[in-house]
Amino acid sequence: MRKELYFGFAIMAMILIGVAIALPAPAEMTNGHLGLLMLSLVVVAIMLGFPTAFTLMGMGVIFTYLAYDGNIQHTLDLMVQSTYKVMTNDVLISVPLFVFMGYLVERANLIEKLFKSLHLSMARLPGALGVATLVTCAIFATATGIVGAVVTLMGLLAMPSMMKAGYDTKMAAGVITAGGCLGILIPPSVLLIVYGATAGVSVVQLYAGAFFPGLMLAGLYIAYVIIRAKINPKCAPPLSEEDRRVPLTPVLASLKNTYGTSRAVSALVNGLKGRREGHLSTAQVANQLFIAMLPALFAAFILGLVYASITAPKDPGVDTSGLVSFGSEFQSSEGNSYSFDLAEPAVEESGLAEPAGAEPSESVAAPAPVDPAPVAEPVTSQASEATPAESIPASKNFWISLAVVVAVLLFYYSRLSFERLEVFKMLLSSFFPLAFLILAVLGSIVFGFATPSEAAAVGAFGGLLLAAAYRQLNFGVLRESSFLTAKTTAMVCWLFVGSSIFSAAFALLGGQELVENWVLSLGLTPLEFLLLSQVIIFLLGWPLEWTEIIVIFMPIFIPLLPYFDVDPLFFGLLVALNLQTAFLSPPVAMAAFYLKGVSPPGVTLNQIFMGMIPFMFIQIFAMFILYVFPQIGMWLPGVLYR
């Protein structure tokens, strides 16, 4: 503790010396320089361990008082207005609901069943335990979004299993820490909600944009584990036959003994006809056959819906061209008017800060006069003529898709043994309920059926149902989940209040203008600006939490984006990827300390750090891919909302 204190004071002295050198002489000092001094003092105070929210509020009030030349009334007015602006932001309603859903899912004991079923289903893959760990982390991180919880639980569950299987310690540690950090990026991420509220970006569009980058990053992790296990099997040995063995239920064991075949479907059909051991009833065999046929029934249901939508008669008299693109405008409390998509209500679009670079717009211009006479008949005729032509390729694509699905199902059922059917039943009780909850929440948000707040409420209710279904719902679980949710939500809300007061003081002192003038004077290209900003965020990720980086430094970066023609949505995706990198970068990688606290004896912090480094480089490579191919993150929001 004493060493850490000395280290903090040394950093504080270095920063203050640097600020003193950079600041001009007292005669030339302006309020903008006071703003930079305030920013430096906030960072130093946080690094020394002072509470972030109250440090932001305290520094903001003190320097606002200086900016107003000692006018206490104006200072208190600004503090109250900033606080009121934050607490009336409806976007923040989704934070406690998503957090509550995560804590309930965490306490439903799904993680152990999920890991075991995925581990058995991927037993033939190189590095099967590592791949199963990454997939489990991705799913669980999606449900919780809490890095510490995912890393801790997977450290308790997967680390001993991988060590027992002979995995390299560094490999096992890297897989768990990297997989646990996926919750920062993959929706429904609390980070994206906080960034959207801070930057004035639609949370719905952020969720849609982060979907494919999150899958890309998880896919890169899995590919790395498989390739490395294939090249060097000693670091990730294959599972033994004993570990692959799946105990059968009495019904399946009886049918296997009766027919002596490995094909489960044919044995179940024959058992349904009547040739079976005496203690088996027809209902038991029919139940197992129904479970085995669930993939085929689900595929038939989905294809039936698609076929019905394709063959549904179209009314040629209805012109839906006006529904393709539409928008509206709203007026902020400051009197500025902004346009937005109707993919979600306007209240979800408004954030703590105005959209970067937004300018007050003039009154909406009236549409140009259109002569309806020559337009009416051609629209109808074109619609009636285009319908048959469009149905031909749609039908052709449908039949091609049907043939592919049938071929996949035939291959699946030809390989379906009793053991694989047992693994499928394990997945059915652990993976699919959680996956259905996640897809229902994300699907309702991404496709515009519900706002993030409404979808979060559905997710919280779904978490209650899951906990009840697995007989884990009791007063103790509800009390603990509610307490932790209130604690996390209070932290986030106080951070927002402190950030709002701090940002208002920083802008009042002219610090933002000073930073903008300095950055613009450098003559940076958009690429150079992105590199500079991401390097700064990466370095800040060592001593600071992501919440502090978002609420303190994003209001400084966001106003600069229009000067370099950078989309705030794209910038937010890069920041989310970058903050994952910061979680895995020594010497202050929080994921490493979470894992160290629950690791088996003999696992050192240096081994965990060494295991995290390859995954950190994979994240940097993912950022490079996202920059070179921005449509990975921008395509889905563009299709759905623009």
Side-chain angles (χ1 to χ4, degrees):
M1 182 66 184
R2 183 174 298 176
K3 292 181 179 179
E4 295 174 355
L5 189 60
Y6 290 157
F7 179 69
F9 279 118
I11 294 177
M12 180 178 180
M14 291 171 60
I15 293 177
L16 290 178
I17 291 172
V19 172
I21 295 173
L23 287 176
E28 302 174 0
M29 185 176 293
T30 64
N31 281 346
H33 298 105
L34 284 178
L36 295 181
L37 178 62
M38 177 181 68
L39 179 62
S40 303
L41 291 175
V42 164
V43 174
V44 170
I46 292 173
M47 292 174 66
L48 289 176
F50 289 94
T52 304
F54 298 106
T55 301
L56 290 171
M57 285 187 284
M59 290 290 183
V61 170
I62 292 172
F63 280 85
T64 301
Y65 180 78
L66 295 177
Y68 280 130
D69 296 326
N71 192 323
I72 189 65
Q73 182 63 43
H74 290 171
T75 302
L76 294 176
D77 287 344
L78 181 65
M79 183 179 67
V80 172
Q81 289 171 4
S82 300
T83 305
Y84 182 77
K85 181 181 178 181
V86 171
M87 302 315 294
T88 55
N89 184 7
D90 290 343
V91 176
L92 297 180
I93 296 176
S94 56
V95 173
L97 293 172
F98 276 132
V99 172
F100 185 65
M101 179 186 78
Y103 282 124
L104 283 175
V105 171
E106 177 188 343
R107 279 152 181 74
N109 288 337
L110 279 174
I111 189 74
E112 184 174 356
K113 297 178 182 178
L114 179 63
F115 175 69
K116 185 176 180 181
S117 58
L118 288 173
H119 149 221
L120 291 173
S121 63
M122 300 176 181
R124 297 184 180 277
L125 280 176
L129 268 175
V131 175
T133 301
L134 285 171
V135 176
T136 305
C137 284
I139 296 170
F140 196 58
T142 306
T144 62
I146 304 168
V147 173
V150 178
V151 173
T152 301
L153 285 176
M154 292 308 297
L156 290 170
L157 183 64
M159 192 73 174
S161 299
M162 285 192 280
M163 298 293 288
K164 181 182 177 182
Y167 272 59
D168 180 61
T169 303
K170 296 187 288 293
M171 177 76 162
V175 166
I176 294 173
T177 51
C181 292
L182 287 171
I184 298 176
L185 176 64
I186 299 179
S189 167
V190 177
L191 180 145
L192 296 177
I193 298 175
V194 176
Y195 175 84
T198 304
V201 180
S202 168
V203 177
V204 172
Q205 294 187 21
L206 281 170
Y207 277 2
F211 186 73
F212 286 120
L215 292 181
M216 175 189 70
L217 186 59
L220 289 174
Y221 288 164
I222 293 172
Y224 167 75
V225 171
I226 293 175
I227 293 172
R228 189 175 172 190
K230 192 72 174 177
I231 295 174
N232 183 16
K234 291 183 179 179
C235 70
L239 296 176
S240 63
E241 289 298 328
E242 181 182 355
D243 292 332
R244 294 184 188 183
R245 189 174 297 114
V246 182
L248 299 179
T249 58
V251 176
L252 296 184
S254 175
L255 289 171
K256 185 176 182 179
N257 293 333
T258 302
Y259 293 98
T261 178
S262 60
R263 295 185 177 181
V265 175
S266 60
L268 287 169
V269 171
N270 291 330
L272 197 62
K273 293 178 181 178
R275 195 166 75 86
R276 56 182 180 270
E277 294 182 3
H279 66 277
L280 290 182
S281 65
T282 304
Q284 289 176 314
V285 179
N287 181 46
Q288 299 297 319
L289 181 60
F290 174 75
I291 293 174
M293 297 306 295
L294 278 177
L297 295 175
F298 179 75
F301 174 74
I302 297 298
L303 290 172
L305 291 179
V306 173
Y307 183 76
S309 65
I310 292 174
T311 57
K314 298 180 176 62
D315 187 0
V318 177
D319 180 16
T320 60
S321 60
L323 299 179
V324 175
S325 176
F326 55 89
S328 182
E329 292 200 352
F330 75 98
Q331 193 165 6
S332 68
S333 59
E334 286 79 3
N336 298 335
S337 179
Y338 303 98
S339 62
F340 68 103
D341 264 289
L342 291 185
E344 67 173 333
V347 68
E348 296 287 351
E349 286 284 343
S350 60
L352 300 184
E354 296 297 337
E359 296 290 339
S361 62
E362 300 294 331
S363 58
V364 180
V370 179
D371 185 8
V375 175
E377 187 173 355
V379 168
T380 304
S381 62
Q382 288 175 3
S384 61
E385 293 174 3
T387 301
E390 293 174 357
S391 64
I392 293 175
S395 300
K396 182 180 178 180
N397 292 336
F398 171 78
W399 294 116
I400 293 174
S401 302
L402 177 63
V404 171
V405 171
V406 170
V408 170
L409 287 174
L410 289 175
F411 176 78
Y412 168 75
Y413 283 113
S414 67
R415 307 272 296 177
L416 184 64
S417 62
F418 287 101
E419 288 76 14
R420 290 194 176 111
L421 178 57
E422 198 64 51
V423 172
F424 175 73
K425 289 163 61 179
M426 294 172 63
L427 287 171
L428 200 63
S429 63
S430 61
F431 171 75
F432 291 108
L434 191 57
F436 178 77
L437 173 64
I438 295 168
L439 290 176
V441 172
L442 293 183
S444 60
I445 295 174
V446 170
F447 292 104
F449 299 131
T451 65
S453 301
E454 295 165 347
V458 174
F461 181 69
L464 282 171
L465 293 181
L466 274 182
Y470 287 91
R471 299 180 180 179
Q472 299 295 325
L473 186 62
N474 53 52
F475 179 74
V477 169
L478 276 178
R479 181 183 59 186
E480 187 177 5
S481 300
S482 301
F483 172 75
L484 292 174
T485 300
K487 184 178 178 181
T488 305
T489 306
M491 181 268 293
V492 172
C493 289
W494 279 117
L495 272 175
F496 268 112
V497 171
S499 169
S500 181
I501 296 173
F502 174 82
S503 301
F506 191 70
L508 182 66
L509 289 167
Q512 181 66 47
E513 182 181 358
L514 196 65
V515 171
E516 289 181 12
N517 292 336
W518 175 72
V519 173
L520 295 177
S521 67
L522 297 176
L524 301 175
T525 64
L527 174 59
E528 292 170 342
F529 168 74
L530 282 176
L531 286 175
L532 175 64
S533 60
Q534 297 305 318
V535 168
I536 292 174
I537 293 170
F538 176 76
L539 295 177
L540 290 172
W542 290 3
L544 301 180
E545 293 280 355
W546 65 262
T547 49
E548 298 159 354
I549 296 174
I550 294 294
V551 300
I552 297 174
F553 291 95
M554 286 306 105
I556 298 176
F557 285 117
I558 296 300
L560 293 168
L561 299 183
Y563 296 109
F564 297 96
D565 196 25
V566 177
D567 192 327
L569 173 61
F570 180 68
F571 188 76
L573 300 180
L574 286 176
V575 168
L577 269 173
N578 197 346
L579 289 176
Q580 286 195 105
T581 308
F583 259 94
L584 296 179
S585 56
V588 197
M590 294 305 299
F593 295 101
Y594 292 141
L595 181 59
K596 173 59 179 172
V598 295
S599 294
V603 178
T604 66
L605 201 58
N606 287 336
Q607 289 176 319
I608 298 175
F609 281 147
M610 292 299 296
M612 294 163 61
I613 289 176
F615 293 93
M616 184 186 70
F617 284 113
I618 291 174
Q619 290 178 339
I620 295 174
F621 179 63
M623 291 180 63
F624 172 76
I625 294 176
L626 182 60
Y627 177 79
V628 176
F629 304 102
Q631 288 305 308
I632 296 175
M634 304 299 289
W635 176 78
L636 189 58
V639 169
L640 295 176
Y641 308 120
R642 296 180 185 175

